[in-house]
Amino acid sequence: MSASETSENFGATLGLVRAVRGMRWDQMPEDAREVARHCILDFLGVAVAGSREPLTKILVNEIVKPEGSSEAGLIGSGQRASRLSAALVNGAAAHALDFDDAHMEMGGHPSVPVLPAVLALADTTGSNGREVLEALVIGIELECRLGALIGAQHYAIGFHSTGTVGTFGAAAACAHMLRMEEDGWLRALGLAGTQAAGLKSGFGTMAKPLHAGRAASNGLFSAIAARRGYTSNLEIIEAAQGFAATHAGAKPSRDVLDRFAGRFLIRDTLFKYHASCYLTHAPINAAQQIRAENRVDPKSIDEVEVRVNPSLFGVCNIQEAKTGLEGKFSLRATTAMALLGEDTSNLETFSDAKVTEAGVVALRDRIRVMGAEKTPSTRATVVVKSNGRIFQAESDSGQPASNLVAQRENLTRKFMALTAPILGRRNADALASAALNAEQLASAAKLIDLTQAS
């Protein structure tokens, strides 16, 4: 053990690198590998759908078209860009709908910073599907360990972990694909840390997806530049005025890495089946349960209480959503739509017109969001008062799937709903098959090629 790794002066950056750098696909448990396949499937589905969003078109027009590069492909468009721009656009597109996966240890969305970087790099290096999967797992494993190292305070004070922690994950995944030595990894993470950015105050706007795109692009740049010899602080996480001190006010502890030794945290990835902020999902589920079991007429509802951890107030508690994007971050709007029987898995539900519809607004205004201090952030209780009767349900959206066969089936249905209207059923089927069998692909670039509509 070196001096930098003692408990008094724990070398968090080096510890993270050593915790994940030796991971190999053929040594990973099958459940971790299966979830990695799910991550690719889900990412491609939301990215294809997100490629049609206005924010994606703005990025293409302002960044891609002027540069005229053809290094890497853009998902869903057939256009090409520099690999850094492709990572940016594909990352933003995949997060545009806020329908991508989440992880509670990371405190954000794990795949959306990593996969755009890895796929853009693979497009220029000729990497195969197995190499992409292996890099994806390594990136997510580092993200989750880093998220745990810096703790919940990072998110609580206003940082968006997808943009900040995600930059490290993308850098690690790309450093692995470039077969960099330990010193190169440290330089890549040093560059990632000094670029890591993203504020929660941007939630409900196009700025939030930009966090994911920038994380992917900056992480990719960090690895490429480090490979060329670009220098940085090799102890960026634990250094004075480093990432932990400035972004969390915390001192990293070796205990976190020890706790996760030998584990594959990708197994605990959570997938979305409602097209809104993940922390609105438990209230939506509870409201849907009340509606299904009691057939409550929304017009008869006098009052609704949504009881959640107060930490959600700064994440998804927009009181009067005026746009579809704001609606995704409104506990009141999403709960109202669930009680009204709206399909919250349908992208069209989160339109400007729907969230401002008279019936939605009328019920929304009868909903009170209340703090429940000891409630986990993924758990919620919904209480509906109607004509003198009280209905109550509780839900916890923080439990990873125990049945991966069922999860594959559920994610495939979600994928087809997102992609078939754009690509056509046959092309969507081909893309789903390629994603779920990615380790058999001789060229990972095929995943991008198959996202083009015929």
Side-chain angles (χ1 to χ4, degrees):
M1 181 183 295
S2 67
S4 64
E5 294 179 277
T6 64
S7 58
E8 290 80 13
N9 187 25
F10 169 50
T13 313
L14 181 61
L16 275 173
V17 170
R18 290 182 173 174
V20 304
R21 186 167 169 263
M23 292 179 175
R24 296 295 180 267
W25 181 254
D26 57 3
Q27 297 171 6
M28 297 174 189
E30 176 54 27
D31 60 347
R33 294 191 294 190
E34 176 67 1
V35 174
R37 299 180 191 109
H38 296 179
C39 289
I40 288 188
L41 176 73
D42 195 58
F43 166 82
L44 290 171
V46 295
V48 167
S51 70
R52 269 47 181 176
E53 288 297 295
L55 70 90
T56 308
K57 294 176 182 178
I58 293 171
L59 292 174
V60 170
N61 287 333
E62 297 302 321
I63 297 176
V64 173
K65 288 184 178 179
E67 70 182 11
S69 178
S70 61
E71 284 184 319
L74 300 185
I75 290 173
S77 75
Q79 299 180 74
R80 297 187 70 80
S82 71
R83 53 189 175 184
L84 295 179
S85 294
L88 167 61
V89 173
N90 290 337
H95 200 45
L97 303 170
D98 221 282
F99 211 3
D100 49 304
D101 58 26
H103 203 294
M104 300 315 295
E105 291 293 352
M106 176 196 178
H109 301 266
S111 295
V112 74
V114 175
L115 270 171
V118 166
L119 289 172
L121 182 58
D123 217 354
T124 59
T125 60
S127 300
N128 61 41
R130 177 171 170 158
E131 289 168 328
V132 163
L133 280 163
E134 188 173 270
L136 168 65
V137 175
I138 285 173
I140 289 178
E141 293 299 325
L142 186 133
E143 287 175 327
C144 293
R145 284 163 172 79
L146 176 56
L149 270 175
I150 60 175
Q153 183 67 8
H154 176 70
Y155 194 77
I157 60 180
F159 288 107
H160 181 204
S161 302
T162 305
T164 54
V165 174
T167 307
F168 286 88
C174 292
H176 174 74
M177 286 189 69
L178 292 170
R179 299 179 175 87
M180 293 167 63
E181 297 297 327
E182 188 173 89
D183 180 71
W185 272 67
L186 292 171
R187 282 186 279 113
L189 295 190
L191 291 171
T194 204
Q195 298 177 88
L199 301 176
K200 282 161 56 186
S201 58
F203 285 14
T205 75
M206 292 180 182
K208 186 173 190 279
L210 183 63
H211 298 166
R214 281 296 180 199
S217 184
N218 290 343
L220 173 56
F221 168 78
S222 298
I224 294 170
R227 191 188 190 200
R228 295 283 189 182
Y230 213 104
T231 64
S232 67
N233 190 319
L234 306 186
E235 299 178 334
I236 192 65
I237 295 170
E238 69 274 21
Q241 300 182 336
F243 185 72
T246 59
H247 286 58
K251 188 174 183 179
S253 168
R254 163 183 298 284
D255 294 342
V256 173
L257 293 186
D258 289 345
R259 186 168 82 243
F260 294 142
R263 286 184 57 189
F264 283 87
L265 302 180
I266 192 173
R267 177 62 181 82
D268 297 335
T269 302
L270 303 168
F271 294 91
K272 290 188 175 187
Y273 301 103
H274 305 294
S276 58
C277 172
Y278 198 83
L279 296 178
T280 67
H281 289 204
I284 289 173
N285 292 337
Q288 288 178 335
Q289 180 182 337
I290 290 172
R291 176 181 170 85
E293 293 179 353
N294 302 285
R295 299 182 180 179
V296 179
D297 180 0
K299 294 180 181 178
S300 72
I301 293 176
D302 301 309
E303 183 183 8
V304 180
E305 293 179 2
V306 178
R307 301 171 184 168
V308 296
N309 188 285
S311 65
L312 274 62
F313 296 171
V315 181
C316 51
N317 196 29
I318 294 176
Q319 292 294 299
E320 298 179 358
K322 299 294 195 302
T323 68
L325 265 177
E326 289 184 351
K328 292 171 180 280
F329 295 88
S330 172
L331 287 162
R332 297 174 80 206
T334 51
T335 302
M337 289 192 285
L339 289 170
L340 287 164
E342 299 288 350
D343 182 3
T344 50
S345 69
N346 188 335
L347 301 180
E348 298 302 319
T349 298
F350 292 93
S351 65
D352 297 356
K354 177 58 67 176
V355 299
T356 56
E357 196 174 87
V360 173
V361 172
L363 183 52
R364 179 201 73 192
D365 290 345
R366 298 198 294 274
I367 295 175
R368 289 190 301 147
V369 178
M370 306 174 65
E373 290 285 350
K374 297 182 179 180
T375 300
S377 62
T378 57
R379 185 177 300 165
T381 300
V382 174
V383 180
V384 174
K385 300 177 182 178
S386 173
N387 291 333
R389 296 182 299 167
I390 298 176
F391 307 99
Q392 180 171 319
E394 183 177 292
S395 178
D396 189 344
S397 60
Q399 302 302 312
S402 57
N403 186 336
L404 294 184
V405 173
Q407 179 166 276
R408 174 186 276 236
E409 293 171 352
N410 291 336
L411 289 173
T412 300
R413 281 193 292 271
K414 173 186 171 182
F415 175 89
M416 295 304 295
L418 289 170
T419 59
I422 297 171
L423 304 179
R425 182 81 191 191
R426 180 180 298 178
N427 290 348
D429 277 334
L431 180 57
S433 177
L436 292 171
N437 297 280
E439 65 262 50
Q440 298 175 21
L441 296 177
S443 172
K446 185 175 182 180
L447 292 170
I448 302 294
D449 295 340
L450 287 171
T451 66
Q452 318 309 325
S454 59

